[in-house]
Structures are given as C-alpha cells and as structure tokens.
Amino acid sequence: MRGTRTGLTAGAAVGVVAMAVGFMLDPQRGWANALMAGYAMLQFSLAGLFFLAVHQVTGATWHTTIRRVPEAMAAAMPVGAIVILAVLLMRPSLYPWYTDPFPDTARWAFKSLWLSRPFFLARSVGYLACWVLCARTLVGALREDEGPASADRRLRLAITTIITLGLTLVPAAFDWIMSLNHEWFSTMIGFYEFAGIFLGGLAMLALLLVATERMTPGFTVTVDQRHDMAKFLFAFATFWAYLWFSQYMLIWYANITEETGYFIERTHGHWAVLFWGNVVLNWGLPFLLLLSVQARRSVTGLVAGAISILCGRLVDLHLSIALPFTDGHVGSALAGVGVVVGAFSLFALATFAALAGAPLVPRTTRADRQAHT
C-alpha cells in the first residue's frame, strides 16, 4: 500500500514539475496542458458517475461489492472541475474566438452568439455545478446503505443523473474541445467525446480496482467481476472505434473545407504517427489483448488492456487539445505528457482519499451475506 501511494505521489510531483516547465517554455501551451489535465481528471469522475447511474437504473447487482471505487471516482469530481474552471477564467485567450472574433455575417451569427464569453462561462459553470451536484447526491444516497426503503430515491437520482449528463456532455464537448479549433464543424464531436470519456474512465476504474484489491485486506474483486470489467473495456473500445471511424469517414467523404482542415493537419507529417497510434492504442491493442476469455479473466489481461486505453486517451487528448498550441519544441510535448501523467496520479490519490469516506464493503452487502449464511 505504501509503495503504491509513494509511486502515485511521485507521479503527481512529476506533473507539477512538468506544468512549471511547460509554463516557462511556452505559457500558452502550458495552459493547454492544464486544460488537458483538468479534462482528464474530470472525465474519470464523469465515467464513475455514469457507471453508478446506469447500474442503478438497470438494477444490476454484480458490481455491488466493488461499488465503493466508482463512488470514490465520482466523489473526486471537484478536483478536475476546479482545474477546468481555473483555466477558463484565467486564460480566455486559449480559445481563438476570444481574440479573433467571428466575421459579422449570417453564416457565423449563431457561433458568434454561442461563443460569446459571458454565455460561454455561464454554461461552463452550469455544466460543472450540475455534475458536482449529481455526484454528491447520488453518491450520498448510495453510501447511506438503507436498503429497499431508499431504493426509489436512488432510482430517481440515477435517472436524473443520466438525463443531466445526456443534456450537458455534448455541448460541453462543443465548448471546451471543438471551439479550440473554432472554425471547425463536427456534429459528432460530443458523442465521440462521450465514448472517449467513458472508455478512459472504465480503464482507470479497472486499474483502481486491481490496486485497491492489492492494497486493502478484505477487499476482493472476483474473477467474474474482472471478466465483466474486461468485457466493458472490449465493448466500449469498439464503440469508440465505431464513432472515430464514422466521424473521419463522413468528413473525408463530404470533403467540406470547414471540416477537412482539422484532419489534414493531423494526418500529415509527424502528427500522422499519433493520429493512427490513437486508433491502435484505444482499440487495436485492447481488442487483441482482451479477445480471449482467458485474457479477460486474468489480472494481466485486464491491466494490459486498461493501460493501453489510458495511453490512447493521452494521445487523443493531445491531438484534440494541445496540438493547436504546438510550437515544435520537444520539451513542450514532453511537458504535456508529464502533466497528464501527473493528472492521472493525482486523480488516483484523490480517489483513494475519497474511499476513506465509507466502508469498502457496503453494509447492505454484508447484511445480505450474513442472511444467506
């Protein structure tokens, strides 16, 4: 346990140093790295929240004994939210539409209104407030462990959470990600980001489950639960690949100037390696690593697939957030990698801290076990 926490603390320290180096080399790129870090941490919390809500609505019980870990992921949401809000408030010039307004024509009228700074900030605060509130209320209700008496309330909260996420995740992706390339159009970016958020969150959840089992006596992840997590990773990696291909294929086929520029920049020169590596890490490798039943039921297979996906998320975030601010300096790129690695480590530490807020095994689960024995 001490070794794991020491390693995560060292990773978080690397992130802080990388952030400082990034600001010294190129302040604009440094703020882009901060946006990547905040978005990375926020996506894990959102994935944990969505995981809990969906299982509550569907009445699934397989995850009950490991439920505290996604609860802790959702409870750590303020960490990422604070970083995102700080970037949006302190570095508005990160978004080109702030310093380079849209032409005063009918074609750009809606985008000009939508991306006006007061409206943009109000929406961003609204997204974050809704997500933090949903996380606090749903996790609080689940941690009460009152059994059937509170089942209806938990169900209502879970349904409200899913609806809220559905209504806010797509416009948040438009605002925070697509508007970094403000002349680019893609109606699929919100759904693509949702797939990436949930896939990356599942990968982080898988690693946290393995780490928690090794760090905490009495906490056990069964072979069947490990198999279910691996199937989730396998399925959502393929779902992510489907959306990635659909977006790329439609833009390539239509060949509209406002849409193709984004991909032309990323598929030429040395960026092509990252562009295609993104597909390999997020789908190709996990597909092969988790194809067999034996691999999905083993710790090694699950960890290998999860690590591949998290590396893929790092590449995906770099391509979508940091690339517009690349200055050709190798140090800036390495600083970006260090910042995201630090964000992953900081989020894991925040999750483990949140785990201390409730017994690792829900009381209702222990009572059920005693009743059966």
Side-chain angles (χ1 to χ4, degrees), residues 100-109 112 182-183:
D100 183 19
F102 293 99
D104 188 16
T105 62
R107 179 187 177 190
W108 298 100
S112 179
H182 65 306
E183 295 184 354

Side-chain angles (χ1 to χ4, degrees), residues 140-164:
L142 291 172
R143 286 187 170 183
E144 289 174 1
D145 290 327
E146 295 176 355
S150 63
D152 289 342
R153 177 170 177 265
R154 294 196 297 266
L155 179 60
R156 288 195 300 271
L157 289 173
I159 293 172
T160 302
T161 295
I162 291 175
I163 294 173
T164 301

